[in-house]
Amino acid sequence: MSATQILEPDHLAAVQRRTLRVVVGSQVLGGAGLAAGVAVGALLAADMLGGEGYAGVPTALFTLGSALAAFLVGRYTQRLGRRTGLGVGFAAGGLGAIGVVIAAVIGSVPLLFVAFFVYGSGTATNLQARYAGADLAAPEHRGRAISVAMVSTTLGAVAGPNLIEPLGSLASALGIPALAGPFLLAAVAYLAAGATLLALLRPDPYLLAQQLAGPDDELAADDGAAPRWSRSVIAGATVMILTQIMMVAVMTMTPVHMRAHDHSLGDVGLVIGIHIGAMFLPSLVTGALVDRIGRLWMSVAGGVTLLAAGLAAALAPADSLGLLIVALALLGLGWNFGLIAGTALIVDGTSVRNRAGVQGSIDVLIALAGAGAGAASGVVAAAAGFGFLAISTAVLTLVMLPVLLWSRSAARAN
């Protein structure tokens, strides 16, 4: 297909549809890689390190790894396109998952730490793929384009945690510790996602968007026409950072909290599976609402939902599986609102020429915030309890409200 043909609306729409199909395929695989490991990472660390206070270490490590990966994926995308940036990122995540399995087999804590760090590349890449859906989308359809990339994660993300027990049985049969079993799935899923993108994401949507913008496009040049850190970008980053802090902290400690109160691994898989489903499954509806009622109002809805999640988690009796499901479902839904609305705010506030770099930088901040939350979650829960952890992080998310008001006042002034 020639560049002239691509400029035709019908051909451009066809390219966008193909892009979304490829992204959907990679995200199904990526979701399985993400969720399978996240569900048992804290349990594996507590088992190998010998204490609940260490349960947040894996989340901190793979979130720190995702921070570096987000930066590198953003920079590679800026220079080489989405295909290369996302493909290499998923491949690194797969290698990290293999390293976790080897570390569990030989009982090596240093290797476990390094492997969790590299495994974080898959998490960062899975999130960055949401931007690929919006590269060629019209401004009024960006929320829905982002949501298509996210909702496709649901199938793999929900299946992963619910395969904990059979994967554990398979691992035991192979002479591998049962808690390392889900990382076998993560390795295969991440490597397959990377191969899918490298082979099929053609033409590259980000490079094509740059070509279509052209030198005369008012948002194309890096001359200040689209500020790198406009109020829209700052508001979007704030929403996503705060929602990530709460989601990571509470999700990390939920399996440990449940196991401490005699819930089975199957119960843990069910709760985390529903939580991750709530993170991604509502995306199509969320994306439509973001486009229809606005980015700021959906961000506010995310904050309110997270507050409800914190209250539910804090008040739920430890032996109540049903209330824990409600709390973690609300946690996932609030995160979904915040991520899609925040992502749309960032795409709106950036130039096509600098967008990938800005997106990567913001995802670094999100990952670092999540790393801090993961590292602190075990200590806070051990010292003050799971309920205090849930309610304190929920209150923290309300900081987004004055930032959103500030952003809205600037938009009205303009």
Side-chain angles (χ1 to χ4, degrees), residues 311-395:
L311 290 170
L315 297 175
D319 61 352
S320 175
L321 179 63
L323 288 178
L324 284 172
I325 287 174
V326 170
L328 269 291
L330 288 171
L331 180 69
L333 184 62
W335 180 88
N336 177 269
F337 289 171
L339 189 74
I340 294 180
T343 299
L345 283 167
I346 289 167
V347 175
D348 291 345
T350 50
S351 156
V352 70
R353 296 298 187 194
N354 64 26
R355 184 167 296 150
V358 175
Q359 290 164 345
S361 297
I362 290 171
D363 277 7
V364 169
L365 296 178
I366 294 169
L368 291 175
S377 62
V379 177
V380 172
F386 178 74
F388 177 82
L389 174 70
I391 198 65
S392 60
T393 52
V395 171

Side-chain angles (χ1 to χ4, degrees), residues 226-234 237 349-350 357-358 361-362 365 406:
R228 289 180 62 89
W229 291 93
S230 64
R231 291 198 182 195
S232 177
V233 169
I234 292 170
T350 50
V358 175
S361 297
I362 290 171
L365 296 178
W406 168 73

Side-chain angles (χ1 to χ4, degrees), residues 129-159:
R130 72 194 189 275
Y131 293 117
D135 284 331
L136 298 174
E140 64 273 17
H141 296 145
R142 283 172 177 161
R144 275 166 281 191
I146 294 165
S147 71
V148 168
M150 286 188 60
V151 76
S152 55
T153 306
T154 305
L155 180 59
V158 173

